[in-house]
Amino acid sequence: MSKFTVNGKAQDFNGDPETPLLWYLRDIAGMTGTKFGCGQALCGACTVHLDGTATRSCQVQVGSIDGKSVITIEGLSADGNHPVQKAWRDLNVAQCGYCQTGQIMQAASLLKDTPKPTDQQILDAMSGNICRCGTYPRIRAAIKRASGAA
Amino acid sequence: MTRTPEITNVARRSVLLGLAAGSFVLAIRLPARAQEKKFGGEGMPGGVKDDPKLFLSIADDGTVNLLCIRAEMGQGIRTGFQTVIADELGADLNRVKVLQAPGNQAKFGNQDTDGSRSMRHHFLPLRRIAAATRQMLAEEAAAKWGVPVTEVKADNHGMVHGPSNRRLEFGALAKGAAARPVPPADKLVLKPVSEFRYIGKDVPLIDNLDFTTGKAVYGIDARVEGMAYAVVARPPVLGGKVKSFDAAKTMKVPGVLKVITIDPPTPPIVFQPLGGVAVIAENTFAAIKGRSQLEIQWDDGPNASYDSVQYRKTLEEAAAKPGQVVRNNGDVDKALAGAAKRLSAEYYVPHLAQAPMEPPSATARVTADACEVWVGIQNAEAIRTDLSKRFNMPIDKVTVNNLLLGGGFGRKSKPDFASEAAICSHAMGGRPVKLTFTREDDLQHSFFHTVSAERVEAGVDANGKAVAWLHRTVAPTIAALFVPGADHEMPLELAMGAVDNPFDIANFRVENPAAAAHTRVGWFRSVSNIPHAFAIQSFAAELAASLGKDPKDFLLELIGPPRLIDAAAMSDGWLYGEDPKVYPYDTGRLRAVIEKAASEAGWGRQMPKGRGLGISAHRSFVSYTAVVTEVAVSDKGEITIPRVDIAFDCGAVISPDRVRSQLEGAVVQGISLAMLGEISFKNGRPQQTNFDGYELTRIDGAPTEIRAHLVNSAAYDKPLGGVGEPGVPPVAPALTNAIFAATGKRIRSLPIRDQLAGKV
Ligand code: FES
Ligand code: FES
């Protein structure tokens, strides 16, 4: 049995404790904003904030997060107006959009820790997130746009 | 070679196989009159429909609902369709909602979102749909006011009568207008280009809020009451089968519900599932865990020895010998024999996997008399065709709800994953089942981009002018999916750059030696244009270097003066399905994008040591693209890409921001395949299993700056070209040409990876 919160709501899970948080969120809690891309910490599509830090939810077993707090894209902001989300819309960053919830969660975590990242800090923080559509130049620009405001 | 099977959803492709059998099947099916060749959207299975009552409705509150018949996979077509309808109708963009049409080719016309065709084939039909609706609204308003309809005009979501200064909102007119007859096509008045409000302008992405808040629903996100979840263990080698298996341990995994076998495909394999063992469980993780506990003995079948290192030698040997002649002008042998200088080179591009970020996933519910599928797919009709046959029910009983695609790139043209979901649901007695490919499944069971060897030889006269060109292209063909044993490129593959080469060279021959397919070959964004453009554009730069000429000047010289070339003159029997009279090859447009990319990039500027500029250009999907890439190569051989300029002419641009984003994406995808992309095979098995082995370009490997330049973007008098794919082909050769400029090292084999390490 594992008790934790997702976007502030208490969760009780007594299924297989090895279940990755990713599949708990998607299949059991029915929150599909967190995406599956690789299952191996190679793409970042599944990024959530675990106790405030960007984390690959495909690598976190639900049995190991007792007492922790999870924020997903659905809970990043009440109205979708986190500065990173706004910057993403201002620059029409998305193509297919599939990777973007993970990108946004990663970028929000970066800007929380490093409000004004250098170019190199942006590359370092974001290089774990793959975008097959190739939106990288706009991701970079959107992070700069949100920087200082997040 | 056996007879072409019935392949309804690729009927058009079957014509193009160029095989007597395929043509025969079609010839006996079609009435004599229908044999007149149709082009563009009309030439697609199901054709184009433009009845406004099928696609547009207006609610009492004025909301305009548009049914979008193209799949959204990142190209922005939902925004594009919204733009065209809002503009032509005279509506407020924000009040036009876009709903996705379910699959139904008989009702809605062709929906196959592939081949960079959506706006190319639908710009005018959409305008007709909106113009007809606008006229019906105008007639309704005129009748209400008792004024001549010619005095009524649309104005931002309402109809106005200027002389009496009256206005009625669309919502108030909707019901009456909908009851009016649809005006005939020849009575429609399209808006003058000068009055466009949204077309050709940047507008926000329609799905922006959903994309940034996690509310966007992709195929993999479908949630259907009571559904179970499945993954499949498929034969690791194409053509393999389950010899025996033991699921005892699997059944002990918590949450596992059932284990079933799926039959191997009977040839031709087309888009059938590969067979294997499916594990159905209460959630995806339980299914994956259950699958890991399966003990399966495989019979690997005839492709068990497929080895891509060996196969490369086979391809290269084939490229060294004459092959089937697919284009011939003048006398190449004589011209080569008499040339002052001869040069030849060979190029290699390996198999690739499309690897959309959303792996293939579908949810299906199959009951005794109906199927319903929730999926993100490029070609919904392919699912309907398959399931109606598979479960022996009328096609109207198969409903396909098309959700967003998390990327497609050709992989999601194929319905195999939906068939698997349906097989699982059927086995579960009608309980809905979501089938998901893990990334490992996706990379091991793709419909791979072909592997190819390209050999090019040229002869140059004493004045440095190219007088002979011999191109041999050797690659397994997509046709092998449909015709077992097919071993020559189809006309449509050859006409992706190899034969439709505009170079102004009197003696010109293209040959296509045979190459057998040992894996599933499918299409990957821009398809055979990738290897063809890589070879041709690399070789053009090699020739320039050997003659001591500037690569850009020499490329323009090869292309020759601005002129229109008929497809037939290049033995191009495909032309992307378009009418040769409407779409001649316009070398002036190719030249113009080259000039644009070059001037924007500062071609000819002095470069510091280790830096270089490379250029390339290519027409594909009836659009013209040129790329200039700047690279920096460190003394350790590490490559960085400070900047790429891409100039593009697809004729009129409906959604400039989306076209630019497609070009940016094409540059990144082109760089990804050039730098890193390879699926290799050993013992019949793909050697890459996830993004550690099959690497994709990440933000730190992407160009720092990509600048997209749209040429002729207001040329509404020109026929539209494709957008999604044509950005890709010139990217790889522009990069390797830049590396040559920076280092003097010529890369002829992709991927580049660390080929420069220790050599600079
Ligand atoms: S799905 Fe978790 S990193 Fe890719
Ligand atoms: S927007 Fe499609 S994968 Fe990033």
Side-chain angles (χ1 to χ4, degrees), chain A residues 16 26-27 35 42 96 136, chain B residues 218 221 284 289 697-698:
Chain A
D16 185 347
R26 291 184 54 80
D27 292 356
K35 301 302 186 199
L42 297 166
C96 81
Y136 302 125
Chain B
Y218 299 84
D221 298 331
T284 312
K289 195 171 174 184
T697 289
R698 294 167 182 272

Side-chain angles (χ1 to χ4, degrees), chain B residues 78-142:
Chain B
R78 286 167 49 79
T79 303
F81 272 35
Q82 179 199 36
T83 299
V84 177
I85 289 292
D87 208 333
E88 186 66 60
L89 184 60
D92 173 357
L93 185 76
N94 296 314
R95 296 172 74 190
V96 177
K97 284 215 157 43
V98 180
L99 313 166
Q100 285 303 115
N104 194 333
Q105 190 171 282
K107 185 171 176 189
F108 299 125
N110 187 270
Q111 293 174 278
D112 182 8
T113 312
D114 205 325
S116 302
R117 292 187 292 246
S118 291
M119 198 50 89
R120 182 168 118 218
H121 287 180
H122 291 276
F123 182 51
L124 280 174
L126 283 169
R127 291 184 68 192
R128 290 198 295 270
I129 287 167
T133 307
R134 170 169 39 75
Q135 277 170 235
M136 289 152 76
L137 289 162
E139 283 164 18
E140 179 65 14

